[in-house]
Structure formats: structure tokens, C-alpha cells
Amino acid sequence: MELIARSLPNNGVIEGKLPDDDIKNLWKLIDEAKKKPEDMRNTLAGNINSSIRLDAQSPLIETFINETLNSFVNKHMEAYGATNRPIMKEGQTLAVNSLWVNFQRQTEFNPMHDHAGVYSFVMWMQIPTSFEEQRKLPIAINSNANTQISNFAFTYVDILGKIKQFTYRMEKEAEGYMVLFPASLQHLVNPFYDNDGERISISGNISVI
């Protein structure tokens, strides 16, 4: 008797480390935005003190947009096209229509939310904390949810209707890492504690135009 384990079709995400040149140019883009900051907090779900718009048309990130980001999108279409391929009319294309940087400090968080558009992405530029250290703090050490503190997580419903989470642990190694996901996928950012540093992340939305 042959027994077969078969996974049912589902959506997913694409993740990878960004090239060093992309990271350098993204930092330059952040520095440019700081000179004349445009507050984004009234359009976002974040409970944070600082979120500012980035220029998605800047020449600084032409290579990132045209090569790196397109590679992520094409990989997602290749892997999950049957469940997430955007419907486009003749002459339409995909483009980054919103780009911003978050400066998260201790106790700040982004509650569960989704984004507008077809795809969204997040890049972690600076992580001042270690999840392994955070989970040992008094607030978390005796909790049965100590995998949540300081981390980024996707929330979704499995085929049995159960709510599941997939967590990215916030360690120094995650700096320069990017995840692209369907914009409607629910996600959240948990707070961190006992650290005066800033967690800096860039997010963006990709829409049909």
C-alpha cells in the first residue's frame, strides 16, 4: 500500500538578502527623506512616533526597483501565480505606488493589518535588539507567547479554519533582508522593550497602474 502526503495549493511569500549596493542606496534615500520629512502616520496602522514617506521615483533606487524588486515579483508569480497573478489590461503594468520608512522605538508596535495593492514588501534596515534576549525579559520569560516579543509575523487561516502565524525573528542577521508578500496578507509587528535603539524598516506597496 502506497501512502502519499499531499500539500494543498496555497499562497506564500518570497524572501531574500538584498545586494549591498541596494542597501547603501536605500540608506541614502532615507537620509534624503529626513531633510524634508513627510509624515505617513495618518495613512498607516502603526502605533509609532515616526514614519515618513520615501521617494519611489528617486534615481537612487532605480536598480532596486527595476532589477531586485522585479526579481522578487517575478519569483512570486512563478511560484504562486495561480493564486495571486494580478489581472492587468493592455497597457497596464505593476509599479511601486507607496514607499515609506518606519522608525520603531521600544513599546511601539504595528497591530494586525493588511495593505492596499497587489504586493507589499518589508525590508529590515536596522535591528537594535535580539529576539533571544528579548524573550528572556521578565515580561516574556514565563509567557506561553514568548515567541512573539519583538518579532514580525504573518497571520493566516489554514485549510481547517485555524488561525496560524509565521514569525520572523528579529536578530541582527535580519538586517538587509526583504520579504515580498500579497498585499492582503495580514501581518503585525510586536513591540520590543528595554532598549533605546531604533528599529528601522522600509515598506512599500505595488499596484496595477
Side-chain angles (χ1 to χ4, degrees):
M1 180 173 62
E2 181 184 7
L3 301 180
I4 299 172
R6 187 181 303 280
S7 296
L8 300 184
N10 202 351
N11 220 312
V13 306
I14 304 298
E15 57 185 59
K17 192 82 169 179
L18 294 175
D20 289 342
D21 286 346
D22 281 347
I23 294 171
K24 290 176 184 176
N25 287 331
L26 287 164
W27 276 119
K28 291 177 183 177
L29 191 69
I30 292 171
D31 290 338
E32 286 293 315
K34 284 181 176 179
K35 294 176 183 177
K36 292 183 178 180
E38 182 181 346
D39 195 350
M40 287 283 288
R41 288 176 298 172
N42 65 334
T43 66
L44 304 177
N47 285 233
I48 59 177
N49 278 316
S50 181
S51 179
I52 59 177
R53 186 182 302 276
L54 297 177
D55 181 8
Q57 308 303 318
S58 171
L60 282 170
I61 55 169
E62 278 185 23
T63 300
F64 167 73
I65 297 289
N66 296 330
E67 296 182 15
T68 304
L69 190 55
N70 274 347
S71 295
F72 275 71
V73 170
N74 290 337
K75 184 67 175 178
H76 197 280
M77 287 186 182
E78 175 188 325
Y80 308 108
T83 54
N84 203 64
R85 187 177 297 279
I87 298 174
M88 293 186 288
K89 299 177 182 177
E90 185 177 351
Q92 289 186 315
T93 187
L94 290 172
V96 177
N97 70 323
S98 184
L99 189 67
W100 65 95
V101 57
N102 288 336
F103 302 91
Q104 180 187 0
R105 302 189 71 85
Q106 61 177 324
T107 75
E108 298 178 348
F109 64 97
N110 285 346
M112 190 166 68
H113 63 287
D114 61 7
H115 288 185
V118 179
Y119 297 105
S120 295
F121 53 91
V122 59
M123 299 171 277
W124 295 288
M125 303 295 289
Q126 177 175 290
I127 300 175
T129 54
S130 162
F131 161 67
E132 290 298 336
E133 293 176 358
Q134 287 282 302
R135 71 189 304 186
K136 296 174 184 175
L137 294 175
I139 195 172
I141 193 168
N142 293 317
S143 170
N144 65 3
N146 68 354
T147 59
Q148 302 304 308
I149 187 170
S150 82
N151 288 334
F152 176 101
F154 291 115
T155 301
Y156 60 98
V157 178
D158 69 12
I159 64 169
L160 302 179
K162 306 280 188 183
I163 295 176
K164 301 290 186 181
Q165 279 201 342
F166 184 90
T167 300
Y168 284 88
R169 296 184 174 188
M170 293 292 98
E171 298 283 355
K172 198 73 175 175
E173 291 76 17
E175 290 184 346
Y177 207 73
M178 184 171 108
V179 181
L180 178 128
F181 53 95
S184 58
L185 179 58
Q186 297 285 330
H187 55 286
L188 57 92
V189 183
N190 289 292
F192 61 86
Y193 302 89
D194 289 3
N195 187 296
D196 292 328
E198 283 184 325
R199 179 184 295 164
I200 302 176
S201 62
I202 294 175
S203 293
N205 296 329
I206 300 171
S207 297
V208 175
I209 61 169

